[in-house]
Amino acid sequence: MNRRLKSRTNPVFSVKENEAPEYFVQLSHFYLTLINLEPNEGEYYSLLGEMLEYASHYKTCKSVLQNFYSQHPDKTMESCHERAYKLSPNNMYVCEKLSHFYEVVVRDSNKAIELYTHITTSFPEKSAFAHHHIAKLEMNKYKKRKDPERLNTVIYHYKKAISLDTTNVEAMNLLGLALCELGPDGYEEAKTLFERAIGIRDDSKDTRDVTTTRVRYSVCLLKMGEYQHGYKQMEKALENHGKFRFSVLGEFDRFFNEEMRTCPNDPMPLIHKARVRLLLKRPEEAKSMYNDALRLGYVPIPVAPGLEWPW
């Protein structure tokens, strides 16, 4: 079989809703033909399993999926991925798709971590994505139960991901957040990571990832007590407020609200929230939060020119 026939990108994922059923039928016949011709090629089963997952995202594919499963009851998403792994346990593509299936579809984080770990040991030089996913899954567990050992595991895997992919800005961002969880012991390293991430993407100052990094960088600086620098980064991040589907204001509030829950008597999160609103030209909201901070015992600190409170 000509290996070029094996497209690893299922077009059904990117087609229009009304075109999806026809694509699904064509691709299902194509992959079933490949499986019949080479029944011991695990990758074909992975491709079919991946396509079944993509097709399930389309409402218009519901009836054709039901028809497919009635004709091929032995070829479900799970059975295709498991069959692929059984046939080709040392094929990285097969391992990646099975790991993704358990992480995203089944939502079995333990099984997904086990499979991603297999990738890191079997393909150590190509496993940046696997370390990244392990770290994300372990971080979700850490958020539910603040276990220091689990946090160390998160940090280890993000560092491995970055060492294997030195331009992985998302991993740098998430590692920075994990280091901030260490408290003062992690702030300096986190600050360096955020600066590195901004440097990589600084040629596109209005991109979403650079704005997200600036939000996190600003919060890190404020935690370190570097208020002037932190507010400058806050201002740069807020320049893109309204440009993306996510809210830059909401991103800041998420961090500061968490600090308020953790330390309800600390006035600084309120001061930072007030600063965000002042930069967004919402002075009444800012003043209300500022006054609430005063009631919690906030003592005004000197600020650089241009950062003075207007009242």
Side-chain angles (χ1 to χ4, degrees):
M1 175 60 62
N2 189 333
R3 304 289 287 185
R4 288 178 296 177
L5 289 176
K6 291 196 310 174
S7 169
R8 289 186 175 184
T9 302
N10 279 313
V12 81
F13 186 61
S14 57
V15 299
K16 296 177 181 178
E17 189 79 36
N18 64 327
E19 297 173 348
E22 181 182 352
Y23 269 93
F24 171 77
V25 171
Q26 291 176 354
L27 284 171
S28 63
H29 287 313
F30 177 65
Y31 290 139
L32 288 170
T33 300
L34 292 178
I35 288 169
N36 288 332
L37 289 169
E38 296 187 54
N40 294 320
E41 176 57 73
E43 210 167 305
Y44 296 148
Y45 284 93
S46 280
L47 286 162
L48 179 58
E50 181 185 27
M51 187 203 60
L52 290 169
E53 178 192 341
Y54 287 162
S56 70
H57 298 161
Y58 290 84
K59 293 178 181 178
T60 53
C61 283
K62 185 175 181 180
S63 61
V64 288
L65 274 172
Q66 289 174 341
N67 185 50
F68 176 87
Y69 289 132
S70 68
Q71 293 181 30
H72 308 281
D74 62 325
K75 290 181 173 61
T76 62
M77 272 187 267
E78 182 173 6
S79 66
C80 284
H81 285 299
E82 289 289 358
R83 177 67 174 164
Y85 187 66
K86 185 176 181 180
L87 290 169
S88 307
N90 295 316
N91 181 311
M92 189 170 77
Y93 176 77
V94 168
C95 294
E96 177 187 351
K97 294 306 172 184
L98 181 61
S99 304
H100 168 86
F101 173 72
Y102 276 103
E103 178 185 2
V104 177
V105 180
V106 181
R107 297 189 182 279
D108 183 340
S109 59
N110 291 329
K111 181 67 173 178
I113 289 171
E114 176 189 329
L115 291 163
Y116 283 126
T117 300
H118 169 68
I119 293 173
T120 66
T121 55
S122 299
F123 313 98
E125 299 305 315
K126 299 179 180 179
S127 61
F129 75 93
H131 284 290
H132 190 140
H133 282 277
I134 292 170
K136 288 176 74 173
L137 291 166
E138 291 286 9
M139 191 62 178
N140 289 338
K141 291 174 179 286
Y142 170 77
K143 288 176 181 177
K144 295 176 183 176
R145 183 171 174 233
K146 302 282 187 174
D147 178 4
E149 286 300 314
R150 176 152 279 139
L151 182 59
N152 288 335
T153 299
V154 171
I155 291 170
Y156 167 78
H157 283 289
Y158 275 135
K159 286 186 175 182
K160 284 294 292 184
I162 294 167
S163 71
L164 293 166
D165 180 2
T166 56
T167 61
N168 189 337
V169 168
E170 183 185 4
M172 292 176 198
N173 266 310
L174 296 174
L175 174 56
L177 291 179
L179 289 165
C180 284
E181 289 286 323
L182 293 174
D185 290 341
Y187 293 157
E188 195 64 47
E189 189 176 355
K191 174 184 172 182
T192 301
L193 272 167
F194 292 135
E195 290 170 348
R196 180 178 167 188
I198 290 171
I200 291 172
R201 291 288 185 266
D202 206 33
D203 56 334
S204 303
K205 298 181 188 301
D206 62 342
T207 59
R208 173 175 178 151
D209 55 358
V210 132
T211 299
T212 301
T213 303
R214 287 197 190 282
V215 171
R216 294 165 177 174
Y217 183 34
S218 169
V219 172
C220 177
L221 291 168
L222 295 173
K223 287 177 180 288
M224 297 174 73
E226 296 185 18
Y227 299 120
Q228 320 300 342
H229 192 186
Y231 289 146
K232 286 294 184 183
Q233 290 300 320
M234 179 186 286
E235 186 174 16
K236 287 184 178 181
L238 288 167
E239 288 174 1
N240 290 318
H241 182 64
K243 289 186 180 180
F244 308 110
R245 292 179 65 184
F246 78 105
S247 166
V248 181
L249 168 63
E251 283 287 290
F252 276 115
D253 277 357
R254 184 167 62 84
F255 285 108
F256 298 140
N257 288 343
E258 178 61 29
E259 289 185 14
M260 289 170 68
R261 283 191 290 271
T262 306
C263 304
N265 295 319
D266 183 358
M268 292 312 296
L270 273 169
I271 287 296
H272 302 327
K273 289 181 70 172
R275 177 64 63 181
V276 171
R277 281 151 180 81
L278 191 63
L279 290 168
L280 288 175
K281 303 188 186 308
R282 301 183 186 181
E284 291 186 3
E285 290 180 43
K287 187 171 184 180
S288 175
M289 291 177 174
Y290 181 88
N291 288 334
D292 288 342
L294 289 176
R295 283 189 282 273
L296 284 176
Y298 172 66
V299 177
I301 57 176
V303 293
L307 293 175
E308 302 93 342
W309 298 100
W311 44 78

